[in-house]
Amino acid sequence: MLFNSFEYLIFLPIVFITYWFVFNKNLRIQNLLLLIVSYIFYGWWDYRFLSLIVFSSFIDFFCGIYIDNSNNKSQKKKWLALSMIMNLGFLGIFKYFNFFSKEFSAFAQDLGFQVNTFTLDIILPIGISFYTFQTMSYTIDIYRNQLKPTRDPIVFFAFVSFFPQLVAGPIERATNLLPQFYKKRHFDYTKATDGLRQILWGLFKKIVIADNCAIIVNQVFDAHEHYSSLSLILAAVFFAFQIYGDFSGYSDIAIGTARLFGFDLMQNFAFPYFSRDIAEFWRRWHMSLTTWFRDYVYIPLGGSKGGIWMKVRNTFLIFIISGFWHGANWTFMVWGFLNALYFLPLLLSNRNRKNLNTISEGKYIVSLKELFQISATFFLTVIAWIFFRAPNIAHAFNYLKQIFIGSRFFQLDINIQPLVFIVLLLAVEWLHRDKAHGLYLNTIKIKQPVRWGIYLGLIVLIFWFGAEKQEFIYFQF
């Protein structure tokens, strides 16, 4: 079920009313309701894959208990290994098997061997990369004695399948989300209204920004050789805002929806395009995945505590693995490699944690120095995004080549209407760059008629300028 669908528009109010007005006095039944509606939400796409998430939840539920019950480290490792093998095995089969099979066959043929390519005719289950990482962090935290396992199957299965963030995150840690299923939840009007504002802002980013940009991006990337250099540059910029509006829009809707039900999810985006360097960008972009790799891969590998070689090795490993997490294509690994290259000078000069504060804090106008830093960082990310969007590496290089040697440099071949919406997006988020989301409003300072005017304006933009419905980009990951 899509957040921007008519079905969800009906689904959410029904669940909300049932949750708060029918089962509000019984926490266990509320959790059971969340489990059932989460399975309905996921099964709406393809009910056959419900068995996969149920089986994954079953394995990790019991692995967590057996890790905790084991008396020695060897036994704990065996149960942790089972959890890791099952979760990574699911990813390997559904997401990477065909890729490795084709690459192996191509490599063998290059060596002169005739090898038939064997592929699986299977569909990639939506959200598998997200919920497998969420359950792996659960068993790892138990193994590290940072978390006690739950012995309530309803709570655990609801934690894994919690519908707001099931399909595309944030990738929640059990240490944050799981305890919230045990606490009696009371309806909080202030939290709920702020959640609705965040949902509205997420819908604006998805429907008005991302979907309008997607139309132009698809046209240009599918036939880039026919467009001028300026059009190619603008299309690359539009993709940067397409993927931001699409993914951060999903996160806003997910976090806002969770707040309607009394849950607090972690912030997943913190206005990354206002970053002054690439290190700051990665602290603000897809934060739940970035911190996951930091805590469960980067630090166990030694982090930044070793020598120069270890720092460089770990940095490239994390970024390339992060790229591969996004999909079975060399383009994603090149995207990760590029970001590692961008990050390297900051790491070697110990400036990777220089910009930890909010940019131009307490000011409305950015300084010239910071404007240059933002522009340079954005330029680098746009170059990397070209590889992320291109269907293959050759296409990405041809796209870049066409920018620099193409004819009709200043001729515009595309619709630039999305620029108006992008400017509006940047203006609003700049004013709220120190807040949890772009539509955070101080209800004391901003009077009700003004607030309702803002809401109505966004709703009009969504219905008036909403493009043809596009699937969320990160569903493919």
Side-chain angles (χ1 to χ4, degrees):
M1 194 179 296
L2 299 175
F3 281 158
N4 56 332
S5 67
F6 179 73
E7 294 88 348
Y8 189 73
L9 187 63
I10 298 173
F11 171 84
L12 183 60
I14 292 174
V15 176
F16 179 83
I17 291 169
T18 308
Y19 181 85
W20 285 118
F21 295 98
V22 179
F23 300 131
N24 59 309
K25 294 182 180 180
N26 192 313
L27 180 62
R28 187 168 178 79
I29 294 181
Q30 276 189 327
N31 289 337
L32 180 59
L33 174 67
L34 288 176
L35 174 60
I36 292 170
V37 299
S38 294
Y39 283 165
I40 293 172
F41 177 86
Y42 190 75
W44 202 269
W45 168 67
D46 192 327
Y47 69 91
R48 293 173 297 176
F49 287 110
L50 278 172
S51 58
L52 188 64
I53 194 171
V54 170
F55 183 68
S56 176
S57 301
F58 180 86
I59 291 293
D60 287 306
F61 175 73
F62 284 102
C63 281
I65 292 173
Y66 286 125
I67 290 171
D68 187 62
N69 288 345
S70 298
N71 295 321
N72 59 72
K73 201 163 187 178
S74 175
Q75 287 296 320
K76 290 179 184 290
K77 283 183 177 180
K78 289 179 181 178
W79 289 110
L80 176 63
L82 175 61
S83 170
M84 301 287 285
I85 290 169
M86 293 303 298
N87 282 295
L88 293 176
F90 288 148
L91 279 179
I93 292 171
F94 285 97
K95 194 168 182 176
Y96 301 110
F97 181 88
N98 288 347
F99 171 78
F100 282 115
S101 178
K102 291 175 182 177
E103 291 300 317
F104 175 77
S105 297
F107 178 71
Q109 289 173 11
D110 288 342
L111 295 177
F113 299 99
Q114 187 61 39
V115 178
N116 293 325
T117 303
F118 176 75
T119 57
L120 301 175
D121 185 18
I122 54 176
I123 302 171
L124 178 66
I126 286 179
I128 189 171
S129 296
F130 292 87
Y131 68 74
T132 52
F133 269 42
Q134 186 158 306
T135 55
M136 279 196 295
S137 69
Y138 170 78
T139 51
I140 293 171
D141 284 348
I142 294 171
Y143 175 79
R144 293 176 172 179
N145 293 318
Q146 296 173 348
L147 178 73
K148 296 297 290 184
T150 177
R151 298 174 189 270
D152 184 336
I154 293 176
V155 166
F156 182 75
F157 280 56
F159 153 73
V160 175
S161 63
F162 188 43
F163 77 90
Q165 48 86 225
L166 169 62
V167 175
I171 303 171
E172 275 295 336
R173 305 294 180 84
T175 49
N176 174 49
L177 182 56
L178 198 59
Q180 297 183 54
F181 283 94
Y182 284 102
K183 295 177 182 177
K184 178 66 178 175
R185 298 179 287 274
H186 301 281
F187 181 74
D188 186 324
Y189 177 80
T190 302
K191 179 184 285 190
T193 53
D194 189 60
L196 286 171
R197 283 191 289 270
Q198 191 163 2
I199 291 172
L200 180 60
W201 188 241
L203 287 170
F204 169 77
K205 287 198 284 188
K206 166 58 181 170
I207 297 172
V208 179
I209 301 292
D211 288 357
N212 277 289
C213 286
I215 295 171
I216 298 165
V217 169
N218 293 340
Q219 290 173 350
V220 175
F221 271 81
D222 288 346
H224 64 279
E225 64 275 6
H226 300 303
Y227 288 91
S228 67
S229 297
L230 182 58
S231 297
L232 293 174
I233 292 169
L234 281 175
V237 170
F238 284 167
F239 178 69
F241 283 97
Q242 178 197 349
I243 195 167
Y244 172 65
D246 191 283
F247 193 20
S248 71
Y250 184 97
S251 293
D252 280 333
I253 300 169
I255 295 167
T257 301
R259 300 196 83 194
L260 291 179
F261 296 94
F263 289 85
D264 291 312
L265 302 182
M266 71 175 294
Q267 187 178 10
N268 210 19
F269 289 84
F271 316 108
Y273 289 150
F274 298 142
S275 301
R276 290 153 288 186
D277 59 49
I278 206 68
E280 184 181 12
F281 174 84
W282 278 104
R283 284 192 295 272
R284 296 176 175 275
W285 180 276
H286 200 176
M287 296 153 68
S288 62
L289 180 68
T290 302
T291 55
W292 198 98
F293 278 120
R294 179 197 67 197
D295 294 342
Y296 298 109
V297 182
Y298 185 73
I299 292 176
L301 286 173
S304 301
K305 293 183 178 180
I308 295 297
W309 161 244
M310 181 180 287
K311 291 180 181 179
V312 173
R313 181 202 67 182
N314 293 347
T315 296
F316 274 90
L317 277 175
I318 291 302
F319 276 107
I320 292 173
I321 292 172
S322 175
F324 199 49
W325 176 90
H326 284 84
N329 194 321
W330 290 107
T331 56
F332 296 121
M333 282 178 272
V334 172
W335 171 75
F337 182 82
L338 274 176
N339 277 282
L341 282 179
Y342 298 160
F343 191 89
L344 197 58
L346 297 171
L347 180 70
L348 296 178
S349 60
N350 291 318
R351 291 186 294 117
N352 54 302
R353 297 190 63 79
K354 179 182 178 182
N355 294 311
L356 299 176
N357 62 320
T358 301
I359 185 172
S360 298
E361 195 165 8
K363 301 176 184 177
Y364 287 111
I365 306 298
V366 65
S367 69
L368 288 176
K369 177 184 177 182
E370 288 176 326
L371 180 61
F372 174 78
Q373 291 173 328
I374 292 173
S375 301
T377 303
F378 182 71
F379 170 78
L380 292 175
T381 60
V382 168
I383 296 297
W385 283 135
I386 291 173
F387 286 89
F388 192 97
R389 173 58 180 81
N392 53 64
I393 294 175
H395 187 285
F397 278 115
N398 286 334
Y399 192 102
L400 287 168
K401 179 181 176 182
Q402 190 71 17
I403 289 177
F404 293 106
I405 68 169
S407 59
R408 304 174 291 117
F409 185 93
F410 291 106
Q411 182 177 333
L412 264 179
D413 308 320
I414 60 174
N415 178 10
I416 62 170
Q417 178 179 277
L419 282 176
V420 177
F421 305 133
I422 289 170
V423 170
L424 175 61
L425 168 79
L426 292 174
V428 172
E429 294 207 331
W430 176 261
L431 294 174
H432 298 99
R433 63 193 182 280
D434 59 341
K435 303 296 190 295
H437 60 88
L439 201 58
Y440 174 86
L441 298 177
N442 188 322
T443 56
I444 297 176
K445 291 183 178 180
I446 302 176
K447 300 302 180 183
Q448 188 179 64
V450 177
R451 297 200 305 271
W452 279 96
I454 293 171
Y455 307 152
L456 182 60
L458 287 173
I459 291 171
V460 169
L461 286 174
I462 288 170
F463 281 96
W464 192 268
F465 293 103
E468 181 183 345
K469 186 166 66 176
Q470 305 280 331
E471 191 175 76
F472 285 90
I473 292 175
Y474 267 68
F475 279 15
Q476 63 184 292
F477 305 137

